[in-house]
mmCIF file of all heavy atoms in Angstrom:
data_model
loop_
_atom_site.group_PDB
_atom_site.id
_atom_site.type_symbol
_atom_site.label_atom_id
_atom_site.label_comp_id
_atom_site.label_asym_id
_atom_site.label_seq_id
_atom_site.Cartn_x
_atom_site.Cartn_y
_atom_site.Cartn_z
ATOM 1 N N LEU A 234 20.016 -18.871 4.708
ATOM 2 C CA LEU A 234 18.873 -19.664 4.283
ATOM 3 C C LEU A 234 17.984 -18.861 3.290
ATOM 4 O O LEU A 234 17.560 -19.400 2.238
ATOM 5 C CB LEU A 234 18.045 -20.097 5.495
ATOM 6 C CG LEU A 234 16.753 -20.877 5.180
ATOM 7 C CD1 LEU A 234 17.083 -22.216 4.522
ATOM 8 C CD2 LEU A 234 15.978 -21.098 6.463
ATOM 9 N N ILE A 235 17.680 -17.614 3.574
ATOM 10 C CA ILE A 235 16.844 -16.787 2.744
ATOM 11 C C ILE A 235 17.525 -16.626 1.322
ATOM 12 O O ILE A 235 16.853 -16.838 0.323
ATOM 13 C CB ILE A 235 16.612 -15.416 3.361
ATOM 14 C CG1 ILE A 235 15.734 -15.507 4.604
ATOM 15 C CG2 ILE A 235 15.973 -14.449 2.353
ATOM 16 C CD1 ILE A 235 15.595 -14.245 5.427
ATOM 17 N N PHE A 236 18.787 -16.284 1.305
ATOM 18 C CA PHE A 236 19.443 -16.054 0.016
ATOM 19 C C PHE A 236 19.658 -17.345 -0.754
ATOM 20 O O PHE A 236 19.508 -17.366 -1.970
ATOM 21 C CB PHE A 236 20.772 -15.297 0.255
ATOM 22 C CG PHE A 236 20.594 -13.851 0.563
ATOM 23 C CD1 PHE A 236 20.659 -13.392 1.880
ATOM 24 C CD2 PHE A 236 20.321 -12.926 -0.416
ATOM 25 C CE1 PHE A 236 20.467 -12.065 2.183
ATOM 26 C CE2 PHE A 236 20.178 -11.568 -0.144
ATOM 27 C CZ PHE A 236 20.185 -11.143 1.149
ATOM 28 N N ARG A 237 20.066 -18.455 -0.071
ATOM 29 C CA ARG A 237 20.247 -19.693 -0.743
ATOM 30 C C ARG A 237 18.934 -20.195 -1.339
ATOM 31 O O ARG A 237 18.895 -20.704 -2.452
ATOM 32 C CB ARG A 237 20.851 -20.732 0.187
ATOM 33 C CG ARG A 237 22.340 -20.502 0.466
ATOM 34 C CD ARG A 237 22.958 -21.636 1.294
ATOM 35 N NE ARG A 237 22.508 -21.626 2.718
ATOM 36 C CZ ARG A 237 21.678 -22.466 3.231
ATOM 37 N NH1 ARG A 237 21.177 -23.457 2.518
ATOM 38 N NH2 ARG A 237 21.354 -22.364 4.523
ATOM 39 N N SER A 238 17.852 -20.028 -0.586
ATOM 40 C CA SER A 238 16.512 -20.504 -1.073
ATOM 41 C C SER A 238 16.054 -19.616 -2.236
ATOM 42 O O SER A 238 15.361 -20.115 -3.126
ATOM 43 C CB SER A 238 15.528 -20.471 0.101
ATOM 44 O OG SER A 238 15.945 -21.250 1.162
ATOM 45 N N ALA A 239 16.380 -18.347 -2.173
ATOM 46 C CA ALA A 239 15.917 -17.434 -3.262
ATOM 47 C C ALA A 239 16.585 -17.734 -4.584
ATOM 48 O O ALA A 239 15.950 -17.421 -5.619
ATOM 49 C CB ALA A 239 16.155 -16.003 -2.836
ATOM 50 N N PHE A 240 17.751 -18.336 -4.548
ATOM 51 C CA PHE A 240 18.488 -18.532 -5.822
ATOM 52 C C PHE A 240 18.762 -20.039 -6.053
ATOM 53 O O PHE A 240 19.769 -20.427 -6.754
ATOM 54 C CB PHE A 240 19.777 -17.744 -5.802
ATOM 55 C CG PHE A 240 19.586 -16.293 -5.842
ATOM 56 C CD1 PHE A 240 19.627 -15.519 -4.666
ATOM 57 C CD2 PHE A 240 19.282 -15.652 -6.991
ATOM 58 C CE1 PHE A 240 19.389 -14.176 -4.637
ATOM 59 C CE2 PHE A 240 19.055 -14.241 -7.011
ATOM 60 C CZ PHE A 240 19.100 -13.557 -5.820
ATOM 61 N N ALA A 241 17.935 -20.919 -5.538
ATOM 62 C CA ALA A 241 17.965 -22.377 -5.777
ATOM 63 C C ALA A 241 19.288 -23.000 -5.403
ATOM 64 O O ALA A 241 19.763 -23.897 -6.036
ATOM 65 C CB ALA A 241 17.656 -22.635 -7.256
ATOM 66 N N MET A 242 19.899 -22.487 -4.337
ATOM 67 C CA MET A 242 21.169 -23.035 -3.898
ATOM 68 C C MET A 242 21.035 -23.839 -2.612
ATOM 69 O O MET A 242 22.028 -24.287 -2.046
ATOM 70 C CB MET A 242 22.204 -21.917 -3.692
ATOM 71 C CG MET A 242 22.578 -21.245 -4.985
ATOM 72 S SD MET A 242 23.889 -19.969 -4.765
ATOM 73 C CE MET A 242 23.015 -18.715 -3.826
ATOM 74 N N ASP A 243 19.817 -24.023 -2.097
ATOM 75 C CA ASP A 243 19.603 -24.742 -0.848
ATOM 76 C C ASP A 243 19.127 -26.159 -1.158
ATOM 77 O O ASP A 243 18.320 -26.357 -2.071
ATOM 78 C CB ASP A 243 18.583 -24.059 0.003
ATOM 79 C CG ASP A 243 18.343 -24.704 1.337
ATOM 80 O OD1 ASP A 243 19.181 -24.437 2.249
ATOM 81 O OD2 ASP A 243 17.379 -25.465 1.461
ATOM 82 N N SER A 244 19.664 -27.124 -0.471
ATOM 83 C CA SER A 244 19.373 -28.538 -0.806
ATOM 84 C C SER A 244 17.876 -28.872 -0.556
ATOM 85 O O SER A 244 17.274 -29.669 -1.272
ATOM 86 C CB SER A 244 20.226 -29.485 0.083
ATOM 87 O OG SER A 244 19.996 -29.175 1.490
ATOM 88 N N MET A 245 17.223 -28.224 0.439
ATOM 89 C CA MET A 245 15.853 -28.513 0.728
ATOM 90 C C MET A 245 14.897 -27.686 -0.182
ATOM 91 O O MET A 245 13.928 -28.194 -0.730
ATOM 92 C CB MET A 245 15.518 -28.218 2.210
ATOM 93 C CG MET A 245 14.094 -28.553 2.556
ATOM 94 S SD MET A 245 13.715 -28.202 4.320
ATOM 95 C CE MET A 245 14.713 -29.433 5.128
ATOM 96 N N PHE A 246 15.176 -26.383 -0.285
ATOM 97 C CA PHE A 246 14.213 -25.490 -0.975
ATOM 98 C C PHE A 246 14.654 -25.122 -2.401
ATOM 99 O O PHE A 246 14.034 -24.327 -3.059
ATOM 100 C CB PHE A 246 14.104 -24.176 -0.197
ATOM 101 C CG PHE A 246 13.583 -24.383 1.248
ATOM 102 C CD1 PHE A 246 14.458 -24.301 2.320
ATOM 103 C CD2 PHE A 246 12.262 -24.669 1.464
ATOM 104 C CE1 PHE A 246 13.986 -24.510 3.584
ATOM 105 C CE2 PHE A 246 11.805 -24.841 2.732
ATOM 106 C CZ PHE A 246 12.652 -24.792 3.838
ATOM 107 N N GLY A 247 15.763 -25.739 -2.884
ATOM 108 C CA GLY A 247 16.301 -25.395 -4.179
ATOM 109 C C GLY A 247 15.362 -25.554 -5.331
ATOM 110 O O GLY A 247 15.369 -24.812 -6.307
ATOM 111 N N GLY A 248 14.454 -26.548 -5.236
ATOM 112 C CA GLY A 248 13.502 -26.801 -6.342
ATOM 113 C C GLY A 248 12.333 -25.873 -6.333
ATOM 114 O O GLY A 248 11.413 -25.989 -7.175
ATOM 115 N N MET A 249 12.240 -24.887 -5.399
ATOM 116 C CA MET A 249 11.079 -24.034 -5.252
ATOM 117 C C MET A 249 11.304 -22.620 -5.738
ATOM 118 O O MET A 249 10.545 -21.733 -5.440
ATOM 119 C CB MET A 249 10.651 -23.981 -3.788
ATOM 120 C CG MET A 249 10.202 -25.260 -3.155
ATOM 121 S SD MET A 249 9.525 -25.053 -1.504
ATOM 122 C CE MET A 249 7.988 -24.186 -1.828
ATOM 123 N N ILE A 250 12.390 -22.412 -6.525
ATOM 124 C CA ILE A 250 12.715 -21.037 -6.885
ATOM 125 C C ILE A 250 11.564 -20.355 -7.635
ATOM 126 O O ILE A 250 11.271 -19.164 -7.378
ATOM 127 C CB ILE A 250 14.029 -20.986 -7.734
ATOM 128 C CG1 ILE A 250 14.347 -19.479 -8.031
ATOM 129 C CG2 ILE A 250 13.882 -21.817 -9.012
ATOM 130 C CD1 ILE A 250 15.682 -19.302 -8.667
ATOM 131 N N GLY A 251 10.880 -21.091 -8.510
ATOM 132 C CA GLY A 251 9.760 -20.485 -9.191
ATOM 133 C C GLY A 251 8.622 -20.082 -8.278
ATOM 134 O O GLY A 251 8.084 -18.960 -8.408
ATOM 135 N N MET A 252 8.334 -20.921 -7.282
ATOM 136 C CA MET A 252 7.284 -20.571 -6.283
ATOM 137 C C MET A 252 7.749 -19.477 -5.370
ATOM 138 O O MET A 252 6.942 -18.685 -4.935
ATOM 139 C CB MET A 252 6.874 -21.856 -5.530
ATOM 140 C CG MET A 252 6.264 -22.915 -6.363
ATOM 141 S SD MET A 252 4.741 -22.373 -7.222
ATOM 142 C CE MET A 252 3.606 -22.404 -5.802
ATOM 143 N N ALA A 253 9.051 -19.479 -5.085
ATOM 144 C CA ALA A 253 9.619 -18.446 -4.182
ATOM 145 C C ALA A 253 9.386 -17.078 -4.867
ATOM 146 O O ALA A 253 8.958 -16.111 -4.187
ATOM 147 C CB ALA A 253 11.050 -18.703 -3.931
ATOM 148 N N ILE A 254 9.733 -16.971 -6.126
ATOM 149 C CA ILE A 254 9.529 -15.697 -6.849
ATOM 150 C C ILE A 254 8.095 -15.329 -6.947
ATOM 151 O O ILE A 254 7.683 -14.221 -6.682
ATOM 152 C CB ILE A 254 10.205 -15.783 -8.261
ATOM 153 C CG1 ILE A 254 11.705 -15.969 -8.145
ATOM 154 C CG2 ILE A 254 9.875 -14.532 -9.065
ATOM 155 C CD1 ILE A 254 12.355 -16.251 -9.500
ATOM 156 N N LEU A 255 7.252 -16.317 -7.366
ATOM 157 C CA LEU A 255 5.810 -16.047 -7.549
ATOM 158 C C LEU A 255 5.179 -15.549 -6.269
ATOM 159 O O LEU A 255 4.543 -14.483 -6.258
ATOM 160 C CB LEU A 255 5.133 -17.351 -7.982
ATOM 161 C CG LEU A 255 3.571 -17.306 -7.994
ATOM 162 C CD1 LEU A 255 3.083 -16.376 -9.070
ATOM 163 C CD2 LEU A 255 3.027 -18.751 -8.190
ATOM 164 N N TRP A 256 5.389 -16.246 -5.121
ATOM 165 C CA TRP A 256 4.704 -15.893 -3.885
ATOM 166 C C TRP A 256 5.391 -14.680 -3.228
ATOM 167 O O TRP A 256 4.683 -13.873 -2.574
ATOM 168 C CB TRP A 256 4.625 -17.097 -2.978
ATOM 169 C CG TRP A 256 3.571 -18.020 -3.420
ATOM 170 C CD1 TRP A 256 3.701 -19.128 -4.183
ATOM 171 C CD2 TRP A 256 2.168 -17.902 -3.122
ATOM 172 N NE1 TRP A 256 2.497 -19.728 -4.422
ATOM 173 C CE2 TRP A 256 1.537 -18.966 -3.807
ATOM 174 C CE3 TRP A 256 1.399 -17.001 -2.407
ATOM 175 C CZ2 TRP A 256 0.190 -19.161 -3.756
ATOM 176 C CZ3 TRP A 256 0.030 -17.200 -2.382
ATOM 177 C CH2 TRP A 256 -0.585 -18.242 -3.015
ATOM 178 N N GLY A 257 6.678 -14.545 -3.394
ATOM 179 C CA GLY A 257 7.335 -13.381 -2.846
ATOM 180 C C GLY A 257 6.858 -12.082 -3.488
ATOM 181 O O GLY A 257 6.567 -11.118 -2.842
ATOM 182 N N VAL A 258 6.763 -12.121 -4.853
ATOM 183 C CA VAL A 258 6.322 -10.954 -5.612
ATOM 184 C C VAL A 258 4.839 -10.672 -5.324
ATOM 185 O O VAL A 258 4.427 -9.549 -5.059
ATOM 186 C CB VAL A 258 6.613 -11.091 -7.084
ATOM 187 C CG1 VAL A 258 5.941 -9.945 -7.859
ATOM 188 C CG2 VAL A 258 8.096 -11.162 -7.355
ATOM 189 N N LYS A 259 4.010 -11.748 -5.358
ATOM 190 C CA LYS A 259 2.581 -11.567 -5.218
ATOM 191 C C LYS A 259 2.205 -11.030 -3.842
ATOM 192 O O LYS A 259 1.484 -10.063 -3.711
ATOM 193 C CB LYS A 259 1.856 -12.917 -5.466
ATOM 194 C CG LYS A 259 0.337 -12.808 -5.398
ATOM 195 C CD LYS A 259 -0.386 -13.924 -6.145
ATOM 196 C CE LYS A 259 -0.257 -15.263 -5.503
ATOM 197 N NZ LYS A 259 -1.182 -16.212 -6.105
ATOM 198 N N ARG A 260 2.764 -11.645 -2.804
ATOM 199 C CA ARG A 260 2.492 -11.212 -1.455
ATOM 200 C C ARG A 260 3.192 -9.886 -1.177
ATOM 201 O O ARG A 260 2.708 -9.063 -0.395
ATOM 202 C CB ARG A 260 2.887 -12.248 -0.437
ATOM 203 C CG ARG A 260 1.935 -13.442 -0.411
ATOM 204 C CD ARG A 260 0.605 -13.014 0.168
ATOM 205 N NE ARG A 260 -0.460 -13.995 -0.128
ATOM 206 C CZ ARG A 260 -1.381 -13.853 -0.990
ATOM 207 N NH1 ARG A 260 -1.432 -12.776 -1.793
ATOM 208 N NH2 ARG A 260 -2.320 -14.783 -1.215
#
Side-chain angles (χ1 to χ4, degrees):
L234 176 64
I235 290 172
F236 284 100
R237 284 187 287 108
S238 303
F240 294 99
M242 293 185 292
D243 185 80
S244 58
M245 181 181 293
F246 301 104
M249 297 187 68
I250 182 170
M252 296 301 285
I254 296 172
L255 171 67
W256 283 95
V258 172
K259 183 158 71 169
R260 285 291 165 256

